[in-house]
Amino acid sequence: MKSSAVTRSARTFSVNTHLWGAIAALVLFVPAAQSQQEVDPTWYDPVPNRVVAQPSQPKPLHRNVKRTMSNPDTAHVLLTPDKIKWQPLPREWADGPPPAAQADAVSHATEVAIMQGDPTKVGAPFVLRLRSAPGARIPPHWYPADENLTVLSGVFCVGTGDNVDENTCRDMPAGSYMVLPKGMHHFAIAKGDVIQIHGVGPFKIYWVR
């Protein structure tokens, strides 16, 4: 009798042991499986204890790069010299006529070609070109934004100060580049040049009076 009871007790203990072992394994396995299914370890945010949801349809990297490198709202620009249209410098681009009468006459000999953008629009990038009759003197003036200037051809003589002084004017030949900070008073003497200016609008000339 004792032997039979011991045998049944041992069998019961063995069954219980296997049963509890299976339950324990199930308890440990299910959360781990759910965790792996719900959150992909590769999508953890660098910030501790924060998880970024995995996108349902991740896009290929090369498409993201293309979207970042291009702006669909901006059309490309291809201009050959014969397609560039020149026009008189608009009077509204300056705060009135230049101080001197002869400078006012010279200003009519200055032409502008808008290469890209709208120079009158606030915060908008633009590129334009200017050309003046040889010997034209541009009176001292300043701009409300930085002026980035490249000499494309001829010689552009530029100086700083409130008066036109040929002795302080520096010749800048073709290929030269200048940056004239906003508010800087400067003047120029044209020597058969074509200059290109790029910056952020508005492009406005303020004469030094």
Side-chain angles (χ1 to χ4, degrees):
M1 295 292 294
K2 289 185 178 181
S3 177
S4 178
V6 171
T7 301
R8 286 197 301 270
S9 176
R11 289 177 179 175
T12 302
F13 176 78
S14 177
V15 170
N16 290 341
T17 300
H18 286 294
L19 179 61
W20 284 111
I23 293 175
L26 181 63
V27 170
L28 293 176
F29 173 78
V30 171
Q34 291 178 345
S35 176
Q36 292 177 0
Q37 182 178 4
E38 295 174 356
V39 179
D40 188 334
T42 61
W43 287 90
Y44 274 103
D45 191 86
V47 178
N49 302 322
R50 189 176 72 178
V51 176
V52 178
Q54 182 178 2
S56 57
Q57 295 180 351
K59 299 177 181 179
L61 179 61
H62 68 89
R63 292 186 62 185
N64 293 329
V65 170
K66 286 183 179 180
R67 187 176 297 107
T68 302
M69 297 292 290
S70 62
N71 184 355
D73 297 329
T74 303
H76 67 282
V77 177
L78 297 173
L79 280 177
T80 53
D82 60 308
K83 298 299 182 182
I84 297 175
K85 295 182 179 180
W86 293 89
Q87 59 186 322
L89 185 69
R91 287 179 173 269
E92 58 270 20
W93 284 15
D95 66 333
Q102 71 177 60
D104 185 35
V106 168
S107 66
H108 297 305
T110 300
E111 293 183 313
V112 60
I114 302 174
M115 311 300 290
Q116 183 181 10
D118 183 355
T120 65
K121 188 175 180 180
V122 178
F126 68 86
V127 180
L128 60 84
R129 292 181 181 180
L130 294 174
R131 65 183 181 186
S132 301
R137 292 173 175 236
I138 295 88
H141 60 283
W142 57 276
Y143 297 100
D146 293 346
E147 181 183 17
N148 306 280
L149 192 153
T150 303
V151 182
L152 300 181
S153 63
V155 177
F156 187 68
C157 191
V158 63
T160 59
D162 295 343
N163 298 288
V164 177
D165 185 354
E166 293 185 9
N167 296 322
T168 61
C169 188
R170 181 176 177 181
D171 286 339
M172 305 296 290
S176 300
Y177 175 73
M178 292 160 277
V179 177
L180 304 177
K182 62 180 181 179
M184 177 182 176
H185 294 188
H186 60 282
F187 62 90
I189 300 176
K191 297 183 178 181
D193 57 82
V194 174
I195 62 174
Q196 180 164 293
I197 300 173
H198 71 273
V200 177
F203 179 80
K204 188 80 172 182
I205 301 172
Y206 291 88
W207 305 110
V208 177
R209 303 182 186 279

